[in-house]
């Protein structure tokens, strides 16, 4: 019975239904509520559609058409909404029934599409998706399931639904085990389509199980594991479909990740082992054909690896990776894969990948795991190595690339195990890649893992150690750069990764060893590599090590650094080892090493430190000198104080103590050479004295050799010298006596030992050591004569006892070195047949003077003149040529370097001079002018030069008044002047040219000396007239016209020296005229010819010749009374005008007003000034030459850089003669004041200081040097002001002239 309200609701529902469906029915009379209208106006009866789909006999055409119409209608939202809201589950059963009934692919595809569409479109509350999943799973899990193509459609539909992963599909499968059972059984079917669908469904089930809450930790597929794996692998091996392969690989990958492979492989191996053991004779033919699971896996993955589908290849590589990485012990499986050539497949994929990720990453991950099968893998790696090189270049360019380290390991593996297969070109390419990586890391472009740097260093080391590395031409250069980058990278990352430095140090050691392999001395690149390693140690490692040592906690790192440094010392390269030792000792290495021992007092550290000491000593002293330290290293203590204690013990009958004391002395001696103090100076001195006193009686018994005695003497002298310099402390006179006696009684060689200068000086201050030191100097002279002088400096104060050290001692004058040299020379002179020794001592003195010219003063003060006199007088027979040359060079050097006030004017130098002339005259008469006789002229010139300072006056008189010498010199002058134009051929390259030059030099100094030694006894005007032969004295005389002839026809050098001689002559003539106002007498014809020569040389290319000519011409112009009355001479003023006009024109041209060009016109300035000083100044000077425009142009060209003394003198004279207006004076004043400021503010330049020229070398044929020095003396004027000082004074005079006006 219905209530009234219920009836009303039913009526309303019917009205609504009629509105939606209409009132019409279908042809089968089905009610309208089951008929849905489409958007196009049609209608679909759901009952008719259901009947059609459910009837297996329905024509497939009709079914396909109906499904097509349904899909079209579902695509419209109103129809879809009506279906899902009113009849959501009506079509589930018919659709699935049709899916399993019709063997038609197109119908199956349509149904699957509709099922998926309805599942995705239905709301979550409708459970439509769950019903589809549940019903399909129930069908497939049925016990009476018969596999056919229709089941493949059902599987596909289930796979599509499971792939949606909506609403936890795993939970809607009721009988999961039955489903999996049927699926696993279906894998045995030969149909690839069914296998592919089954594999996909199993893959999705496995994934969903672990994602579902119903998994509860149980593994649905575990019970089917062995069979499932085998069937899957067999399917993968047999199929040719990439889709099936993809599904199978996906399933196997998941199973591998779950650990299925571990148990399956283990069980398979154990079962087969049992079968082989128990039923060996009963194995069936079928069992023989069954492949082991691991081999089956290897065969199965070959097809996917060869596939053209890159995703399938990646999936397969991922499967291999998980298969190998999931097993705790995968060595057997890895071995199988390698033996089955899987490595070749992977290398081929890698080769074709074009170095693109993710293929590169996957391949390298797999290869890294396969490389554990070392021997088998190595053979394949050798073949695929060429593929790795471009991959390496790619992965190192990407910071922190995941397979960067595996790639480097594979490269290293091949180089290490199979170096022969790697070509030199590949070595260079790999080295270039790694070097660029390290460079970019240092530059901050990329970062890298610590292990990357370690492996890179190892690879480079392996490359260097490879037999074919020497064929790689650029490898050495790459190693040079990479080792520097590796060290810098390790030092930067030391705080984070301290162990990294050990690998870089190992690389450094191997690089240095590589630089010395083969014929490295002729290989520039390898020499540079060795130098680079030393430079890295100097600039980076040593400063870092010294700074960080106190913070280091790992002794292994400290030992690694020391070992690296030690390896540099041990290589067979003296030059680089010596350079590195110098670096170490300059860093106070001995003190630093004992500091390391204090921080790490272990036996290993002590052994390393003392071994390194011994190597340093070997390099410094040579001849395995460090062997005593190596012999005693095990017994030596770590504390320097304990070393001193050992030194003070008595070592009789105790060989170990004796060995230790020798080592301690050697360490103290070597460290002291570079001012290192291993303990307090007082303690060291006390220990040395104790050692001498306690063991003094043991020395003569052979306990100490000559080297030890020398080192002991040097050490003792050093600390005695330090005590004398800094403080006065008591010392043991007994120890000193014993040591001096020991030195006197034993043979020892001071010249072969390194010695601190303080010690050397102290020794040469000891009068008790005169005889031993004299013997040492003689020994040194003999050695120096045969081998030459080799100066070896250690630091600032240590060296061999060589010429340099002796020169310092002689020049200092506060020791006995000069006394020893002079006394040794006199001692040798007194003995017979010692010419070689005398020459060697004389040559030593020459070298000393060459190094320190002040040493000549000390030699003269200690009687070297007497020694030279004795040399000339020692025998009645003449000196040998070699002896005479040696004495000449010594005399020349002494006279050139000594101060005049030091020279005594006694009979010694007079006797030397007379002997020299006595040897000279017959030598020239017999042999002509030789190098020895010409050098003798230079010595006589120096004696005359000193007479101008009132030194060697009597010796100078002997030269000036020696008639034979004067006659010989005058003959040379007359012979040369008579040649005329042919004189040009007698240049400095010829013997005649050298002779003429030195004769002119002697004449020059005789002119100066005569005026100082015999003033007023000679009328210099007599030399103006060539016809005047009257001379009160016989002297070297060259008339004015002869000097002009030499200036005109002579070589450039003769021109220069003759110009100085003519200037000196004119100066001697001018001085008395200026003092007494005398008139000069000169033939006008000679005057005109002289002026013509001088005017022509004013602009000569040699500025010195030009200046001397201009000064001489100026003097002649100053003798105004002489020539003003002669019209011929006055007429020559046109030539002077030409000179002045040329000067003015040059100074006004802007482009020519440089400093060098204006210097070249300085001579003409003196001519212009002389003309303006005349009583009747030529009118053209002001009207035509120095008018306002010319002077203004000259002033405009002036700057602070080109103002000279001559410039100021010129404008001073122009000012005195009113050539300047006020504006020009103001401009000049500004320029001169700016010039003065520039001179005062210029940094570090003092042009007023006369430069000290070089010294004569000990070569008898070096006359050119001697000539240079003598010409330097000719051009110097001690009373004249030089450089900037003279310029400042002239500017001051100009300013005062303005003030007076």
């Amino acid at each position: 019975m219905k209530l009234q309200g219920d009836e009303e609701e039913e009526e309303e529902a019917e009205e609504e239904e009629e509105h939606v469906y209409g009132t019409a029915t279908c042809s089968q009379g089905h009610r309208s509520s089951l008929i849905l209208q489409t958007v196009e106006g049609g209608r679909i009866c759901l009952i008719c559609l259901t009947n059609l789909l459910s009837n297996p006999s329905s024509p497939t055409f009709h079914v396909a058409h109906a499904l097509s119409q349904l899909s079209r209608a579902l695509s419209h939202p109103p129809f879809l909404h009506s279906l899902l809201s009113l009849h959501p589950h009506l079509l589930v059963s018919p659709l699935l029934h049709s899916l399993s009934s019709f063997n038609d692919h197109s119908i199956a595809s349509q149904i699957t599409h509709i099922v998926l569409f309805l599942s995705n479109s239905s709301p979550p509350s409708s459970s439509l998706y769950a019903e589809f999943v549940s019903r399909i799973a129930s069908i497939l899990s049925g016990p009476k399931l018969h596999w056919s193509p229709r089941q493949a459609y059902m599987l596909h539909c289930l796979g599509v639904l499971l792939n949606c992963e909506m609403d936890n599909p795993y939970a809607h499968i009721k009988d999961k085990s039955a489903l999996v059972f049927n699926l696993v059984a279906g894998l045995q079917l030969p149909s690839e389509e069914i296998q592919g669908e089954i594999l996909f469904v199993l893959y999705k089930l496995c994934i969903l199980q672990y994602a579902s809450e119903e998994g509860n930790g149980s593994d649905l597929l575990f019970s089917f594991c062995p069979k499932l794996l085998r069937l899957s692998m067999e399917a993968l091996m047999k199929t040719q479909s990439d889709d099936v392969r993809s599904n199978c690989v996906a399933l196997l990958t998941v199973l591998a990740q779950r650990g299925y492979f571990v148990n399956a492989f283990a069980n398979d191996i154990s079962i087969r082992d049992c079968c082989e053991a128990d039923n060996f004779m009963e194995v069936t033919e079928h069992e023989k054909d069954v492949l082991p699971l691991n081999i089956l896996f290897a065969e199965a993955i070959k097809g996917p690896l060869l596939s053209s589908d890159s995703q399938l290849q990646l999936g397969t590589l991922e499967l291999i990776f998980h298969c190998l990485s999931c097993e705790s012990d995968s060595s057997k499986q890895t071995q199988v894969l390698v033996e089955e050539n899987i490595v070749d497949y992977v290398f081929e994929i890698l080769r074709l990948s074009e170095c693109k990720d993710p293929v590169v990453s996957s391949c390298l991950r797999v290869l890294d795991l396969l490389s554990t099968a070392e021997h088998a893998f190595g053979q394949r790696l050798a073949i695929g190595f060429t593929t790795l090189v471009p991959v390496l270049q790619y992965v190192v360019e990407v910071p922190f690339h995941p397979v960067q380290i595996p790639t480097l390991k594979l490269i290293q593996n091949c180089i290490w195990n199979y170096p022969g297969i790697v070509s030199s070109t590949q070595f260079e390419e790999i080295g270039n890649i790694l070097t660029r990586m390290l460079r970019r890391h240092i530059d901050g472009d990329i970062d890298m893992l610590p292990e990357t740097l370690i492996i890179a260093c190892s690879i480079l080391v392996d490359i260097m150690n490879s037999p074919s590395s020497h064929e790689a031409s650029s490898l050495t250069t790459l190693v040079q750069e990479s080792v520097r980058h590796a060290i810098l990278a390790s030092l930067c990352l030391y705080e984070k990764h301290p162990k990294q430095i050990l690998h870089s140090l190992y690389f450094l050691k191997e690089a240095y060893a590589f630089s010395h392999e083969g014929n490295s001395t002729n290989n520039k690149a390898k020499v540079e590599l060795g130098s680079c390693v030393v430079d890295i140690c100097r600039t980076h490692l040593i400063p870092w090590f010294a700074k960080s040592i106190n913070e280091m906690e790992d002794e292994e790192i400290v030992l690694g650094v020391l070992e690296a440094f030690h390896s540099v010392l041990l290589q067979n390269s003296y030059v680089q080892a010596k350079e590195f030792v110098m670096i170490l000792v300059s860093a106070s290495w001995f003190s630093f090493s004992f500091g390391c021992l204090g921080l790490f007092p272990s036996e290993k550290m002590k052994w390393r430190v003392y071994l390194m000491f011994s190597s340093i000593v070997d390099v410094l002293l040579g001849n395995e000198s460090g062997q005593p330290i190596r012999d005693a290293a095990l017994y030596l203590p770590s504390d320097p104080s304990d070393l001193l204690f050992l030194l003070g013990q008595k070592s009789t009958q105790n060989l170990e103590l004796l060995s230790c004391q020798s080592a301690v002395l050697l360490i103290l001696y070597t460290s002291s050479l570079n001012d290192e103090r291993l303990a307090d100076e007082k303690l060291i001195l006390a220990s040395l004295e104790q050692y001498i006193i306690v063991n003094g009686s043991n020395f003569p018994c052979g306990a100490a050799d000559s080297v030890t005695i020398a080192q002991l003497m040097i050490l003792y002298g050093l600390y005695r010298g330090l005590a004398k310099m800094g403080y006065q402390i008591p010392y043991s006179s007994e120890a000193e006596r014993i040591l001096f006696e020991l030195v006197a009684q034993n043979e020892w060689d001071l010249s072969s030992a390194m010695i601190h200068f303080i010690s050397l000086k102290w020794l040469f201050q000891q009068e008790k050591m005169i005889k031993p030191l004299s013997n040492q100097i003689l020994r040194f002279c003999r050695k120096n004569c045969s081998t030459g002088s080799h100066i070896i400096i250690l630091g600032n104060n240590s060296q061999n006892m060589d010429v340099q050290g002796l020169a310092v001692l002689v020049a200092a004058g506060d020791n006995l070195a000069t006394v020893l040299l002079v006394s040794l020379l006199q001692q040798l002179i007194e003995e017979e047949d010692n010419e070689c020794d005398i020459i060697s001592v004389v040559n030593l003195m020459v070298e000393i003077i060459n190094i320190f010219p002040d040493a000549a003063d000390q030699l003269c003060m200690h009687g070297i003149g007497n020694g030279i006199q004795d040399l000339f007088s020692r025998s009645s027979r003449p000196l040998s040529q070699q002896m005479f040359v040696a004495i000449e060079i010594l005399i020349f050097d002494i006279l050139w370097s000594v101060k005049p006030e030091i020279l005594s004017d006694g009979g010694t130098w007079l006797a030397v001079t007379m002997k020299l002339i006595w040897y000279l005259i017959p030598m020239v008469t017999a042999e002509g002018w030789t190098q020895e006789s010409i050098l003798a002229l230079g010595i006589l010139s120096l004696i005359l030069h000193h007479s101008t300072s009132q030194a060697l006056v009597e010796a100078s008189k002997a030269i000036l008044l020696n008639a034979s010498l004067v006659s010989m010199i005058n003959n040379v002058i007359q012979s040369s002047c008579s040649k005329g134009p042919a004189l040009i051929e007698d240049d400095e390259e010829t013997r005649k040219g050298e002779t003429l030059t030195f004769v002119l030099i002697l004449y020059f100094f005789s002119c100066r000396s005569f005026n100082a030694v015999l003033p007023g006894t000679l009328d210099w005007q007599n030399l103006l007239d060539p016809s005047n032969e009257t001379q009160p004295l016989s002297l070297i005389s060259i008339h004015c016209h002869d000097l002009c002839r030499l200036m005109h026809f002579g070589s450039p050098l003769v021109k220069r020296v003759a110009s100085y001689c003519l200037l000196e002559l004119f100066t001697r003539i001018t001085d008395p005229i200026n003092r007494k106002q005398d008139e000069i007498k000169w033939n006008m014809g000679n005057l005109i010819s002289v002026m013509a020569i001088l005017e022509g040389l004013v602009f000569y290319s040699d500025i010195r010749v030009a200046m001397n000519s201009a000064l001489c011409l100026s003097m002649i112009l100053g003798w105004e009374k002489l020539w003003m009355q002669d019209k011929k001479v006055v007429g020559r003023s046109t030539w002077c005008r030409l000179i002045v006009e040329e000067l003015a024109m040059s100074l006004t041209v802007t482009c020519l007003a440089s400093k060098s060009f204006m210097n070249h016109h300085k001579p003409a300035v003196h001519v212009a000034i002389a003309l303006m000083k005349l009583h009747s100044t030529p009118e053209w000077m002001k009207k035509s030459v120095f008018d306002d425009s010319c002077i203004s142009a000259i002033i405009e060209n002036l700057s602070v850089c080109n103002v000279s003394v001559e410039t100021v003198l010129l404008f001073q004279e122009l000012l005195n003669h009113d050539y300047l207006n006020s504006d020009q004076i103001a401009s000049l004043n500004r320029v001169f004041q700016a010039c003065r400021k520039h001179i005062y503010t210029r940094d570090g330049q003092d042009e007023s200081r006369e430069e000290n020229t070089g010294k004569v070398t000990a070569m008898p044929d070096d006359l050119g040097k001697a000539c240079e020095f003598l010409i330097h003396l000719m051009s110097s004027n001690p009373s004249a002001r030089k450089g900037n000082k003279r310029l400042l004074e002239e500017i001051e005079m100009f300013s005062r002239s303005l003030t007076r006006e």
Side-chain angles (χ1 to χ4, degrees), residues 432-445:
N432 191 28
I433 292 170
L434 297 179
T435 302
R436 185 168 62 252
M437 177 186 71
L438 294 172
R439 184 193 311 126
R440 293 188 64 195
H441 176 61
I442 290 298
D443 294 341
D445 296 337

Side-chain angles (χ1 to χ4, degrees), residues 337-354:
L337 292 179
V338 174
E339 291 176 353
E340 293 296 324
N341 302 318
I342 298 301
V343 176
D344 298 338
Y345 288 81
V346 179
F347 271 124
E348 183 64 14
I349 296 173
L350 188 61
R351 185 182 67 84
L352 299 174
S353 66
E354 298 180 354

Side-chain angles (χ1 to χ4, degrees), residues 233 236-237 239 241-254 256-257 261 296-325 333 337 342-343 345-346 349 358-359 361-367 369-370:
M233 293 177 188
L236 181 60
M237 180 179 66
T239 185
S241 170
D242 283 345
D243 291 337
V244 177
R245 288 170 174 167
S246 298
N247 294 339
C248 187
V249 168
L251 173 61
L252 290 175
T253 302
V254 175
Q257 291 174 330
F261 279 64
L296 178 61
F297 176 72
E299 292 295 331
I301 59 177
K302 291 179 180 179
L305 290 175
L306 292 174
S307 173
S308 60
D309 188 343
S310 59
Q311 293 301 318
L312 176 57
Q313 288 180 331
L314 287 174
T316 309
L317 292 171
E318 194 75 11
L319 169 61
I320 299 173
F321 173 78
H322 287 295
C323 175
L324 297 180
S325 59
Q333 178 63 19
L337 292 179
I342 298 301
V343 176
Y345 288 81
V346 179
I349 296 173
V359 179
S361 298
S362 298
C363 289
L364 267 300
R365 288 169 65 193
V366 171
L367 289 173
L369 292 174
L370 294 175

Side-chain angles (χ1 to χ4, degrees), residues 499-511:
K499 291 289 186 180
Q500 201 174 58
I501 187 66
L502 293 176
H503 299 274
S504 297
L505 289 172
Y506 174 67
F507 181 25
L508 181 83
K509 290 192 302 180
E510 293 297 323

Side-chain angles (χ1 to χ4, degrees), residues 641-651 657 661 664 683-684 686-695:
S641 300
D642 295 335
L643 292 178
L644 296 179
F645 175 78
L646 284 179
L647 193 61
Q649 304 304 305
K650 188 174 181 62
S651 57
L657 181 57
Q661 288 177 335
V664 173
L683 293 177
I684 296 178
S687 298
L688 290 172
E689 291 176 338
Q690 180 74 9
Y691 173 72
I692 295 169
I693 294 173
V694 173
N695 298 288

Side-chain angles (χ1 to χ4, degrees), residues 941 969 973 995-1006 1038 1043 1046 1053-1055 1057-1059 1061 1274:
S941 300
I969 296 303
I973 297 297
T995 303
L996 176 59
T997 302
F998 274 84
V999 166
L1000 288 173
I1001 291 172
L1002 181 64
Y1003 169 71
F1004 174 87
F1005 285 108
S1006 69
I1038 307 178
L1043 288 174
L1046 293 175
L1053 183 60
V1054 171
K1055 277 184 169 66
V1057 180
S1059 68
C1061 293
M1274 295 170 65

Side-chain angles (χ1 to χ4, degrees), residues 589-868:
W589 187 256
F590 286 89
S591 303
F592 178 80
S593 298
F594 279 114
C596 294
L597 275 176
L599 294 172
F600 304 97
S602 65
E603 287 298 318
K604 290 174 62 177
M605 182 65 68
K606 186 180 75 170
W607 179 253
R608 177 59 62 187
V609 166
Y610 283 123
L611 283 184
M612 196 166 177
F613 282 172
S614 69
S615 297
I616 291 175
V617 173
D618 284 340
V619 175
L620 284 179
L621 307 183
N623 299 324
E624 296 292 324
S625 302
Q627 189 61 43
I629 300 178
R630 287 189 286 272
D631 294 340
L634 292 175
Y635 312 111
L636 292 174
S638 302
D639 194 333
S641 300
D642 295 335
L643 292 178
L644 296 179
F645 175 78
L646 284 179
L647 193 61
Q649 304 304 305
K650 188 174 181 62
S651 57
T652 307
Q653 306 300 327
N654 190 336
L655 296 179
E656 290 184 3
L657 181 57
L658 181 63
S659 176
C660 289
Q661 288 177 335
S662 299
V664 173
L665 279 176
L666 192 55
I667 292 173
L668 290 174
Y669 167 73
T670 309
S671 62
S672 68
L673 294 176
N674 205 63
D675 292 324
E676 282 198 70
R677 306 290 180 262
L678 302 183
D680 185 76
E681 295 171 0
K682 299 178 182 179
L683 293 177
I684 296 178
L685 179 59
S687 298
L688 290 172
E689 291 176 338
Q690 180 74 9
Y691 173 72
I692 295 169
I693 294 173
V694 173
N695 298 288
S697 59
N698 194 36
F699 289 148
C701 301
D705 57 13
S706 61
V707 175
T708 304
I709 292 174
Q711 293 172 356
L712 180 60
M713 184 73 251
I714 292 169
L715 263 178
Y716 183 79
L718 171 62
Y719 287 99
R720 283 292 304 275
L722 289 171
K724 183 178 179 180
M725 290 173 56
Y727 48 84
Q728 293 295 333
I729 62 172
Y731 66 92
S732 172
S733 57
E734 178 66 13
E736 182 183 278
R737 181 190 63 79
I738 294 173
L739 183 59
F740 285 174
E741 290 179 357
L742 180 66
V743 170
Q745 295 170 4
N746 287 270
E747 288 289 334
W748 60 295
D749 188 2
L750 186 62
S751 62
S752 298
M754 296 277 188
I755 183 169
H756 198 286
F757 183 75
I758 294 176
S759 178
L760 184 66
K761 185 175 182 179
W762 184 85
L763 288 176
F764 275 84
Q765 290 174 336
Q766 307 307 307
E767 294 185 4
K768 299 177 183 178
M769 291 288 291
I770 286 182
K771 184 176 180 180
L773 288 176
S774 180
N775 294 333
Q776 292 299 319
I777 291 178
L778 181 57
R779 182 195 296 265
F780 172 74
C781 289
R782 290 169 177 170
K783 182 186 298 185
N784 190 45
C785 180
S786 60
T787 63
S789 175
H790 299 281
I791 300 174
I792 304 175
I793 303 296
L794 282 180
N796 297 323
N797 299 311
S798 298
Q799 62 185 34
N800 290 88
M801 192 196 78
D802 50 17
V803 179
Q804 180 81 14
L806 288 175
V808 174
L809 292 174
V810 172
D814 57 353
N815 56 83
L816 302 174
T818 310
V819 174
L820 286 169
L821 279 173
V822 176
S823 63
L824 176 61
L825 179 62
Q826 291 175 337
Q827 176 187 343
L828 293 173
I829 293 172
E830 294 174 0
E831 300 175 0
E832 295 294 333
D833 299 326
N834 284 324
E835 182 173 308
C836 291
D837 289 342
I838 293 173
I839 293 175
S840 64
V841 174
V842 170
N843 289 338
L844 176 61
M845 292 181 181
V846 171
E847 291 186 57
I848 289 173
I849 296 173
N850 289 342
I851 296 172
F852 286 105
D854 291 342
D857 296 345
Q858 296 295 324
L859 289 171
C860 289
M861 287 189 294
H862 289 85
I864 189 61
N866 295 326
I868 296 174

Side-chain angles (χ1 to χ4, degrees), residues 1249-1288:
R1249 180 175 59 85
E1250 181 179 358
E1251 294 294 333
N1252 187 22
T1253 61
K1255 295 291 174 281
V1256 175
T1257 60
M1259 296 294 292
D1261 58 348
D1262 197 4
L1263 294 178
K1265 282 281 187 182
C1267 182
E1268 270 186 47
F1269 306 150
L1270 292 171
I1271 292 176
H1272 174 76
L1273 283 180
M1274 295 170 65
S1275 61
S1276 61
N1277 185 357
S1279 62
R1281 299 173 301 279
K1282 300 291 182 180
N1284 288 338
K1285 185 176 180 180
R1286 171 82 186 280
L1287 178 58
L1288 290 172

